[in-house]
Structures are given as C-alpha cells and as structure tokens.
Amino acid sequence: IYSRVLRDVIRFAYYNGCVVVTSSGNKGSDTPMYPSAFDETISVGAVNENDTLAQFSSFGNFIDVTAPGTEIYSAKIGNRYGYLIGTSAAAPFVSGLAGLIISHNRELFPEQVRSIILLSADDLDEKGYDERYGAGRINVAKALNIKRFSVAHLQTPHIDPSKKTIDITGTAKGMDMKYYSLYYGTVKNPENWELIRRNVKTRVVDDKLGEWNIESLPDGMYCLRLVVENYYNSPIEDRVIVNITRSYPCLLYTSPSPRDLSTSRMPSS
C-alpha cells in the first residue's frame, strides 16, 4: 500500500546517505509493491537455483536486480535453522553486496552503489534491462572490480493535467557516460518507446533531464525510462511509472421519489 509517510522516511534516509534495499514482493505479478516501488530503493526480485525467476517473485518496471531466493538456509524463530523462500530471502544478498561495495569505498553515494550493483549484474533474459529480472542477477566478484561507472536515476514527476509539458528530473552522470536518452511508453511494461530527449555528454545531477509533452496523450498509465550509454560498461537505466488523469470521479445525488417520502416514518417518541 502506498504511504506518503513511508515515502518521506525513505527519502530522508536516501538523501542522508543510506542505501535502501527492499524485496519486490511475493505476489508473482507486475503490480507495484511498496516500499519496493519507490524511486529511492533498490528493488530485489528472487531467482531459483536455475537462475530463472521464482514463481512467486513480483516483477515489473520497478525491479532493479534479482538474487537467490529459494532454499536459502537461515536462522528461524525458536532458536532454529532452516530453509526459507521469498524475495525477503533474496534482498539480504543485495544488502550484503552494498555493504561490501561501501567497505571498498566509503565515499560512494547511494545512487553510485546502486549503479555498481546494476552494472555488474549477470544478464538473464532479454539483452539489457527487462521487467522480470531488472539488470539481472547480482555478481559480487564483478561488482567489487568495477572502477568506472555511470549513474541513471529518475524522480517520479508531479503530473499537472492542466499543463502541456512536464519537467522530468533526475541524475545522469559518470566518468564512463557517453550520453543519456529519455523515453516514455504506454502501459506499465511497454514494448515500444518514444524518445523524449537525447543529450550527448551533458551531465545532469538532480536537475531537469527533459520536457515531456503530454498535451495529446490520453489518460492512462505510462512508463518513463532513462538510459545512460557508457563507453566501457553496458548501459544503465532507471524507470518510473506515472499516471495521467484529467478526469475526476463525480458524486451523483438522486433525490428520493414521492413514494419513498410517503413511506418514510419518523421514529416514535
């Protein structure tokens, strides 16, 4: 369930240097789960021993990476040990990797830690990012050996239906960055993308990435996509889901019929 209070807490932690890792959820659907779908988190799905998505693992454009999440030996309630399954069993692997990365370089910001984790992941499905595995399954050895990297981070925009264009803000930067591209697509998991803007070599940090013209777009759900192309590494990207709603629900009042009035009774004293 979406919570503004929880979002404020996560944003406070993120902008104060905390890496926030969350499990994607165990619904087995592409319905966004919170807090995992918040921009500031690293959302983790679960894969099985065959490196395929676990049947229960939630997926969608809010997923960043996957990690092992079936038959995980762990401590259990009652001073016992046993096997666990779930995205909550997968997320701790990513938390541990984030800790290792920071132990190698304590000057890294949360978005840089996220970038290293995504860039070093082993691609498992379609080439590049996809809505089932995100960037892929984490690879600890590769992550600890990445020296040059870029950052792609989108902030969910405020949609004002009265405006023709919407400012898209976020971060696209890095020593390895060649250029960034900003796209949008219809529905939650688009197959086709429309280019909003391509910017060569200009680095953006928590600022305007481009303007999205929504004047001719119908109401509905859209996905924004930021892709940073690199010289030495694979592209890195970020996605957010937005809703355009220009019509609002109306309350309809129907007056009672004369028969309803005649048959109504006041309570007796």
Side-chain angles (χ1 to χ4, degrees), residues 9-35:
V9 169
I10 288 176
R11 279 185 170 177
F12 179 83
Y14 177 83
Y15 286 109
N16 280 275
C18 295
V19 177
V20 183
V21 178
T22 58
S23 55
S24 68
N26 300 322
K27 298 292 187 182
S29 71
D30 64 351
T31 301
M33 304 290 290
Y34 294 95

Side-chain angles (χ1 to χ4, degrees), residues 187-243:
V187 305
K188 288 184 291 185
N189 300 309
E191 295 184 1
N192 300 308
W193 299 93
E194 297 290 337
L195 181 67
I196 298 174
R197 186 188 186 195
R198 177 163 291 148
N199 199 329
V200 179
K201 293 187 177 180
T202 300
R203 298 177 182 179
V204 179
V205 180
D206 288 332
D207 207 344
K208 182 176 174 179
L209 293 162
E211 283 188 356
W212 182 27
N213 190 325
I214 65 169
E215 183 180 14
S216 60
L217 297 180
D219 288 8
M221 186 173 289
Y222 294 84
C223 181
L224 293 173
R225 178 189 184 200
L226 171 64
V227 181
V228 173
E229 297 285 346
N230 297 305
Y231 286 103
Y232 298 100
N233 291 303
S234 301
I236 186 168
E237 65 179 83
D238 195 19
R239 304 183 185 191
V240 296
I241 305 296
V242 296
N243 275 299

Side-chain angles (χ1 to χ4, degrees), residues 161-172:
S162 65
K163 293 186 177 180
K164 296 180 180 180
T165 60
I166 301 297
D167 287 347
I168 308 300
T169 59
T171 298

Side-chain angles (χ1 to χ4, degrees), residues 2-256:
Y2 181 90
S3 165
R4 289 189 177 184
V5 173
L6 182 58
R7 169 144 209 169
D8 288 344
V9 169
I10 288 176
R11 279 185 170 177
F12 179 83
Y14 177 83
Y15 286 109
N16 280 275
C18 295
V19 177
V20 183
V21 178
T22 58
S23 55
S24 68
N26 300 322
K27 298 292 187 182
S29 71
D30 64 351
T31 301
M33 304 290 290
Y34 294 95
S36 195
F38 288 138
D39 308 341
E40 297 80 12
T41 69
I42 300 176
S43 178
V44 184
V47 292
N48 59 27
E49 64 275 11
N50 298 316
D51 261 351
T52 57
L53 194 70
Q55 185 176 5
F56 55 80
S57 183
S58 294
F59 56 93
N61 278 307
F62 61 97
I63 297 294
D64 289 303
V65 289
T66 59
T70 60
E71 300 301 314
I72 306 301
Y73 196 67
S74 179
K76 302 187 77 173
I77 296 174
N79 198 28
R80 298 180 298 116
Y81 289 88
Y83 291 95
L84 302 176
I85 65 170
T87 55
S88 293
F93 286 105
V94 180
S95 298
L97 176 54
L100 283 173
I101 293 169
I102 293 170
S103 72
H104 280 232
N105 184 351
R106 297 183 181 275
E107 302 301 316
L108 293 173
F109 293 105
E111 65 267 22
Q112 295 173 313
V113 175
R114 174 185 177 273
S115 293
I116 291 172
I117 291 173
L118 269 60
L119 284 170
S120 60
D122 289 337
D123 201 355
L124 295 181
D125 197 19
E126 300 173 12
K127 183 175 176 56
Y129 182 97
D130 65 81
E131 68 272 9
R132 290 175 58 80
Y133 298 92
R137 194 246 308 119
I138 60 168
N139 185 317
V140 176
K142 285 170 64 176
L144 297 180
N145 283 286
I146 284 189
K147 305 301 180 186
R148 298 169 64 92
F149 57 89
S150 298
V151 172
H153 178 67
L154 275 174
Q155 299 173 11
T156 301
H158 170 68
I159 304 295
D160 185 347
S162 65
K163 293 186 177 180
K164 296 180 180 180
T165 60
I166 301 297
D167 287 347
I168 308 300
T169 59
T171 298
K173 67 173 184 177
M175 295 180 295
D176 195 27
M177 188 180 93
K178 188 186 303 182
Y179 62 86
Y180 74 80
S181 301
L182 191 60
Y183 303 89
Y184 79 89
T186 57
V187 305
K188 288 184 291 185
N189 300 309
E191 295 184 1
N192 300 308
W193 299 93
E194 297 290 337
L195 181 67
I196 298 174
R197 186 188 186 195
R198 177 163 291 148
N199 199 329
V200 179
K201 293 187 177 180
T202 300
R203 298 177 182 179
V204 179
V205 180
D206 288 332
D207 207 344
K208 182 176 174 179
L209 293 162
E211 283 188 356
W212 182 27
N213 190 325
I214 65 169
E215 183 180 14
S216 60
L217 297 180
D219 288 8
M221 186 173 289
Y222 294 84
C223 181
L224 293 173
R225 178 189 184 200
L226 171 64
V227 181
V228 173
E229 297 285 346
N230 297 305
Y231 286 103
Y232 298 100
N233 291 303
S234 301
I236 186 168
E237 65 179 83
D238 195 19
R239 304 183 185 191
V240 296
I241 305 296
V242 296
N243 275 299
I244 298 178
T245 305
R246 299 180 181 86
S247 57
Y248 297 92
C250 298
L251 292 176
L252 299 178
Y253 174 76
T254 304
S255 60

Side-chain angles (χ1 to χ4, degrees), residues 250-266:
C250 298
L251 292 176
L252 299 178
Y253 174 76
T254 304
S255 60
S257 65
R259 183 176 180 277
D260 294 332
L261 290 173
S262 64
T263 56
S264 62
R265 294 289 185 269
M266 293 293 290

